[in-house]
Amino acid sequence: MTDPTLNPVRSFVWPLLLAGGAVFAAAAPAQAQQRDAPPPVQSVAAQQPSRAQQLMGDIAPKLAELTDEVLLGDVWERPQLSKRDRSLVTVSALVALNRPDQLRSHIRLARQNGVTEVEIVEAITQLAFYSGWPNAISAVGVAREVFKSDVGAPPQKENGK
């Protein structure tokens, strides 16, 4: 498992609703490795609380730990999908579930991972027909807000289109 403190995704990624205990099944091997391995050497960066720890660690420390170790340290690091594709999937799920608070940070992350504004808007348009018009309308408002706040960001190409 990679060190989640070195992961740029860590600051932005929020846990999604995972189906029936899948997160606990994935955590078991990591816990076994932790028991068998010597304690890791902590860097200065590792001593600072993660974004998940800052936002929920005081009330839900296990959820913050699972976010850091399983979601960010394992799922987002799997090579079967690029971070760009994972971002597009995550944005789509958050649009479909109508989760505007999490959508903001994931649209920003998707743009950092190479998804263009045009692609995000196209995904939202497609999702209007599958997840509901109100969800898409809400998502467009969130996307507009994020795009305006990222005005100083370098321009993105449309992936060769």
Side-chain angles (χ1 to χ4, degrees), residues 12 39 45 72 93 107:
F12 299 97
L72 302 180
I107 288 176

Side-chain angles (χ1 to χ4, degrees), residues 18-84:
L18 298 175
V23 81
F24 298 108
Q31 290 171 347
Q33 286 176 345
Q34 288 175 351
R35 281 193 304 264
D36 299 340
V41 176
Q42 298 255 333
S43 68
V44 173
Q47 294 171 1
Q48 295 178 348
S50 69
R51 185 76 174 138
Q53 303 255 334
Q54 293 170 5
L55 293 169
M56 65 184 119
D58 62 329
I59 193 156
K62 187 63 176 181
L63 184 56
E65 177 187 332
L66 291 169
T67 300
D68 290 338
E69 294 179 11
V70 178
L71 182 60
L72 302 180
D74 183 21
V75 175
W76 272 84
E77 295 300 319
R78 291 169 52 87
Q80 291 82 357
L81 286 177
S82 67
K83 283 193 169 60
R84 180 192 183 286

Side-chain angles (χ1 to χ4, degrees), residues 9-11 14 18 23 32 63 68 85 92 119 131 138 161:
V9 174
R10 169 189 195 127
S11 306
W14 283 93
L18 298 175
V23 81
L63 184 56
D68 290 338
D85 292 347
S92 297
E119 291 170 320
S131 68
S138 294
K161 294 180 186 172

Side-chain angles (χ1 to χ4, degrees), residues 3 7 26 33 38-39 43-44 54 77 86 88-89 93 107 115 118 139:
D3 181 358
N7 185 342
Q33 286 176 345
S43 68
V44 173
Q54 293 170 5
E77 295 300 319
R86 288 186 191 282
L88 192 54
V89 168
I107 288 176
V115 182
V118 171

Side-chain angles (χ1 to χ4, degrees), residues 115-148:
V115 182
T116 66
E117 288 182 13
V118 171
E119 291 170 320
I120 291 168
V121 171
E122 189 63 24
I124 294 169
T125 302
Q126 176 86 11
L127 285 163
F129 294 92
Y130 293 94
S131 68
W133 217 260
N135 289 0
I137 300 304
S138 294
V140 166
V142 171
R144 177 186 293 118
E145 175 188 315
V146 171
F147 298 160
K148 282 183 180 179

